[in-house]
Amino acid sequence: IFQKDSVLVGNGGFKSEPDDAGTLEIGYEIASEHWNRGFATEVVQAMIAYAFAHKDVRAVIAHTLAEVNASNTVLKKAGMKFIAEVDDQEEGKIWRWQINRNEYHPS
């Protein structure tokens, strides 16, 4: 499935260093022409694994729009759970998802 030409499928990363409670936020996006191929799930699982490889990380969080969408499914597949609806200054209402270190089971 590899092509000779490189193609940017999406990007992802960590919002900042873990906070004082050991919480780290992830974010990602996949170009629409590459949706439904498992890329988002794979990148989220990899970021969570990388985060928990660092002993100071106790929880990983992510945010989605406050609606049922594909990102909810991706985060659930990666073991994250809906925690709360929160108000964001830029986005309005968003949903917070989280997985704690003791809930993490690498596949």
Side-chain angles (χ1 to χ4, degrees):
I1 303 187
F2 292 100
Q3 299 175 350
K4 290 182 181 181
D5 298 327
S6 296
V7 176
L8 180 63
V9 172
N11 63 62
F14 303 98
K15 186 173 180 180
S16 65
E17 303 250 341
D19 65 14
D20 291 340
T23 301
L24 182 63
E25 183 171 355
I26 62 171
Y28 68 92
E29 68 179 330
I30 303 297
S32 60
E33 62 269 23
H34 301 288
W35 287 356
N36 300 312
R37 296 187 194 176
F39 293 127
T41 301
E42 188 172 344
V43 75
V44 168
Q45 289 171 334
M47 286 191 291
I48 291 171
Y50 183 85
F52 286 136
H54 296 82
K55 64 181 178 190
D56 55 329
V57 177
R58 295 187 181 141
V60 176
I61 64 169
H63 292 96
T64 65
L65 297 176
E67 61 188 35
V68 175
N69 58 39
S71 287
N72 305 159
T73 302
V74 166
L75 297 176
K76 287 178 192 176
K77 283 181 184 178
M80 300 185 88
K81 296 178 183 166
F82 172 79
I83 298 299
E85 183 173 278
V86 296
D87 288 315
D88 181 83
Q89 291 179 344
E90 296 175 17
E91 300 290 332
K93 294 205 179 292
I94 58 175
W95 287 351
R96 177 172 292 155
W97 299 81
Q98 181 171 322
I99 184 168
N100 297 318
R101 177 179 289 281
N102 64 346
E103 300 168 323
Y104 174 66
H105 304 289
S107 42

